[in-house]
């Protein structure tokens, strides 16, 4: 999971640099915004694995462990 987070953060950084180079506002860059949301979800998963496990257990979803 951490490797995927690293990869997605690099993508986010590239999108940021591209927008900065073109002089565009980040609020207008939809690909940047989508990537930012994706990174936020991954950070949540990495930071709170126990919360995710218990949520899956409560909802009756088999965990991948």
């Amino acid at each position: 999971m951490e490797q995927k987070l690293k990869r997605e953060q690099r993508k986010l950084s590239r999108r940021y640099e591209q927008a900065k180079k073109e002089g565009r506002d980040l609020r207008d860059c939809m690909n940047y915004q989508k990537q930012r949301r994706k990174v936020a979800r991954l950070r949540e998963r990495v930071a709170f694995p126990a919360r995710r496990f218990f949520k899956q257990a409560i909802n009756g979803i088999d965990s991948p462990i």
Side-chain angles (χ1 to χ4, degrees), residues 12-24 29:
L12 180 64
S13 177
R14 283 193 295 266
R15 293 193 191 327
Y16 171 81
E17 291 299 326
Q18 184 67 28
K20 189 169 130 180
K21 189 170 106 174
E22 293 175 1
R24 297 171 56 195
C29 302

Side-chain angles (χ1 to χ4, degrees), residues 1 4-5 8 33-48 52:
M1 189 66 72
K4 187 170 185 176
L5 177 60
E8 297 301 328
Q33 296 300 328
K34 284 191 293 188
Q35 190 64 29
R36 191 175 58 82
R37 286 191 294 271
K38 188 182 285 190
V39 168
R41 277 194 309 267
L42 281 171
R43 283 183 181 155
E44 184 79 17
R45 285 183 179 178
V46 169
F48 301 106
R52 186 168 170 240

Side-chain angles (χ1 to χ4, degrees), residues 52-64:
R52 186 168 170 240
F53 174 79
F54 288 125
K55 190 179 283 189
Q56 287 176 344
I58 289 170
N59 292 330
I61 299 170
D62 291 334
S63 80

